[in-house]
Amino acid sequence: MKLVEPPSCSSPSTVVFIGRNHRGQWVAQQQNGLYGGLFVNRAQAIKYALFENGQHPETIIELPREIELDMGRKPDAAAPKRAA
């Protein structure tokens, strides 16, 4: 019998990062930069992330550091860079 991982585990492109930017606004950004937005509160950022990623809460990662919305990023730029 072949074991198959659920789509949320095998498709890293569905990961959505949420967190606050330097102005305190909430940001939701898909890992590869395909979609994202600014929100007034955490609940709205999560609601958006769930809508965009097909209702997979396990693929939403809340970042403890600042995250800036970057809609000019190319899709192959992947995840936000870590601070040194």
Side-chain angles (χ1 to χ4, degrees):
M1 177 164 74
K2 181 180 176 186
L3 296 176
V4 179
E5 288 187 47
S8 61
C9 295
S10 62
S11 179
S13 65
T14 61
V15 172
V16 180
F17 296 107
I18 67 166
R20 290 180 181 256
N21 66 11
H22 72 282
R23 294 182 181 169
Q25 300 163 312
W26 282 90
V27 174
Q29 178 88 45
Q30 192 265 351
Q31 178 179 1
N32 294 330
L34 297 177
Y35 56 82
L38 291 174
F39 303 90
V40 295
N41 60 44
R42 181 179 181 269
Q44 291 299 312
I46 291 173
K47 183 177 178 180
Y48 171 80
L50 287 169
F51 175 78
E52 290 291 343
N53 78 3
Q55 303 299 317
H56 292 283
E58 68 278 6
T59 65
I60 298 172
I61 299 173
E62 187 170 346
L63 300 174
R65 59 175 174 74
E66 287 184 352
I67 177 176
E68 298 298 330
L69 182 63
D70 184 2
M71 296 305 292
R73 192 168 47 177
K74 293 181 181 177
D76 61 341
K81 294 177 180 150
R82 290 185 174 173

